[in-house]
């Protein structure tokens, strides 16, 4: 019996070591991806010059390009990617639906509706304006979905939340389409935001979204133990002392903060929150102590990598990152479904 316990402990220790090593490798890949993002663009800048500009601002054109354009773009890509990855993992855990993504609770459509209202009726055309409108719309949509999901007898169950989210998303999508048809002049401004892009964002956008995303990240990581308990089932979780309603409420707030800020800053970017959590579970298992960190690292690798690819394939122009992630994400998700049969939640 003692020998069996020691073998089991050794196996668990080895598994933790492998997962930790994998996470370190993923972090190294993320750093490399960020360096490539700073280096690659429409203007060719030697890699050594890129590194020297990062260390000291010499006032050159290269310094202006890297520090004022590529650096904020890369930081926003990392923040948006990490937020969408965490939001996707959290959504799939809360709803126990392997096909859930941050748009499931109407968060992205709420942000879209608020932005199109700002463009069409308030004359707002700045990225900063889109940020606050999108965050407000995402929060409002999440509250409405939760209220509808909790209406009637019983608590807000995953099925009710999914149905309420689908209904609100359909209504908001129809509203956005109607406004764009009635006010065609607002279409061009909305189209650029709606396609999903991290280009043209300055450091002030980073400073505005970072506190919101940090709050969402800390709240999500604080739910790690609760998510592991909830994965055992609602009845078992309740028996172990978990407050299921409170966990879902806090999770919904975290998703709103993460996805709302990400969507407001970069527009609706699909497939990141859908595919990355499955890859995270394939590498880290079902324990959320590993799923969440892996999702937070793998998602920005995918997003920033897709942004780099968009710059390369259409030089000297570029393809917006939202288009690239859609093209890359669909076959990757299909491959995950076929190979892993959707990792168990």
């Amino acid at each position: 019996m003692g020998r069996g316990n020691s073998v089991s402990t050794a196996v668990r220790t080895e598994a933790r070591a492998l997962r930790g090593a994998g996470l370190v490798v993923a972090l190294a890949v993320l750093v490399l991806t960020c360096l490539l993002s700073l280096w690659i663009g429409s203007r060719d800048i030697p890699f050594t010059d890129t590194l020297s500009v990062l260390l000291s601002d010499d006032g050159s054109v290269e310094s202006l390009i890297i520090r004022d354009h590529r650096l904020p773009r890369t930081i926003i890509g990392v923040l948006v990617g990490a937020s969408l990855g965490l939001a996707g993992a959290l959504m799939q855990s809360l709803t126990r639906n392997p096909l859930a993504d941050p748009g499931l609770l109407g968060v992205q459509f709420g942000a879209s509706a608020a932005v199109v209202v700002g463009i069409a009726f308030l004359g707002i055309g700045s990225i900063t304006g889109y940020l606050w409108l999108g965050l407000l719309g995402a929060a409002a949509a999440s509250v409405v979905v939760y209220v509808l999901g909790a209406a009637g007898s019983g608590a807000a169950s995953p099925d009710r939340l999914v149905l309420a989210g689908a209904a609100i998303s359909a209504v908001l999508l129809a509203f956005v389409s109607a406004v764009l048809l009635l006010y065609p002049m607002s279409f061009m401004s909305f189209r650029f935001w709606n396609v999903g892009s991290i280009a043209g964002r300055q450091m002030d956008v980073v400073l505005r979204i970072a506190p919101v995303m940090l709050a969402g990240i800390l709240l999500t990581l604080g739910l790690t133990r609760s998510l592991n308990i909830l994965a055992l089932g609602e009845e078992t979780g309740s028996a172990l002392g978990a407050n299921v309603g409170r966990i879902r409420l806090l999770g919904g707030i975290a998703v709103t903060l993460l996805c709302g800020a990400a969507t407001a800053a970069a527009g609706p970017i699909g497939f990141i929150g859908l595919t990355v959590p499955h890859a995270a579970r394939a590498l880290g298992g079902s324990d959320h102590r590993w799923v969440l960190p892996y999702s937070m690292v793998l998602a920005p690798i995918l997003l920033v990598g897709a942004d780099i690819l968009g710059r390369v394939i259409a030089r000297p122009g570029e393809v917006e990152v939202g288009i690239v992630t859609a093209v890359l994400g669909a076959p990757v998700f299909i491959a995950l479904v076929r190979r892993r049969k959707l990792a168990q939640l």
Side-chain angles (χ1 to χ4, degrees):
M1 188 69 173
R3 180 179 177 82
N5 289 335
S6 62
V7 172
S8 178
T9 301
V11 170
R12 287 197 298 268
T13 301
E14 183 180 0
R16 283 195 297 268
L18 288 174
R19 290 168 181 170
L23 191 58
V24 171
V25 171
L27 284 169
V29 173
L30 177 58
V31 172
L32 177 61
T33 305
C34 291
L35 290 175
L36 291 175
S37 177
L38 295 172
W39 176 39
I40 298 174
S42 58
R43 183 186 180 95
D44 291 326
I45 300 175
F47 187 71
T48 53
D49 291 351
T50 301
L51 294 178
S52 63
V53 165
L54 288 176
L55 297 176
S56 62
D57 186 359
D58 57 9
S60 63
V61 175
E62 288 78 8
S63 178
L64 176 66
I65 292 173
I66 293 174
R67 284 178 168 267
D68 291 357
H69 296 280
R70 294 184 187 176
L71 182 59
R73 180 176 186 164
T74 302
I75 294 175
I76 290 175
V78 172
L79 291 175
V80 169
S83 297
L84 291 177
L86 274 180
L90 184 55
M91 282 297 307
Q92 291 174 13
S93 298
L94 291 174
T95 63
R96 306 196 70 185
N97 183 348
L99 297 178
D101 73 340
L104 187 66
L105 291 185
V107 175
Q108 290 184 336
F109 286 107
S112 298
V115 169
V116 79
V117 166
I119 294 173
F121 301 112
L122 303 178
I124 295 176
S126 66
I127 295 296
T128 303
Y130 296 165
L131 172 63
W132 295 114
L133 283 172
L135 190 58
L136 179 62
S142 297
V143 170
V144 172
V145 168
Y146 189 84
V147 170
L148 291 177
S153 59
S157 66
D159 292 340
R160 288 183 177 183
L161 291 174
V162 169
L163 290 175
I168 293 300
S169 296
V171 171
L172 292 175
L173 178 60
F175 171 77
V176 169
S177 301
V179 172
L180 293 178
L181 287 174
L182 293 173
Y183 299 89
M185 293 300 294
S186 64
F187 175 73
M188 292 302 295
S189 298
F190 179 76
R191 185 189 66 169
F192 177 76
W193 176 84
N194 192 55
V195 74
S197 175
I198 57 175
R201 276 57 169 173
Q202 301 300 321
M203 196 60 74
D204 63 325
V205 177
V206 175
L207 297 177
R208 283 174 171 80
I209 66 173
V212 179
M213 291 180 173
L214 179 61
I217 290 172
L218 292 177
L219 181 55
T220 302
L221 296 179
L223 291 173
T224 301
R225 181 176 177 274
S226 298
L227 293 175
N228 281 338
I229 295 176
L230 193 62
L232 300 175
E234 291 187 18
E235 294 183 359
T236 303
S238 298
L240 292 175
N243 188 329
V244 177
R246 178 176 174 272
I247 294 172
R248 290 212 178 95
L249 177 60
L250 293 177
I253 294 173
V255 169
T256 300
L257 294 173
L258 292 170
C259 189
T263 304
I269 297 179
F271 285 102
I272 298 290
L274 181 63
T275 59
V276 167
H278 292 282
R281 292 187 188 93
L283 294 172
S286 60
D287 189 341
H288 287 86
R289 290 176 297 179
W290 294 103
V291 172
L292 296 181
Y294 265 109
S295 298
M296 193 166 54
V297 175
L298 295 177
I301 292 175
L302 176 57
L303 182 58
V304 177
D307 185 51
I308 296 172
L309 182 60
R311 300 181 220 173
V312 172
I313 61 178
R315 297 182 71 176
E318 63 179 69
V319 178
E320 281 73 11
V321 68
I323 298 174
V324 179
T325 57
V327 173
L328 294 177
V332 168
F333 183 66
I334 293 173
L336 284 171
V337 172
R338 291 177 60 87
R339 183 177 180 182
R340 303 287 304 181
K341 301 300 183 182
L342 290 176
Q344 294 297 316
L345 299 180

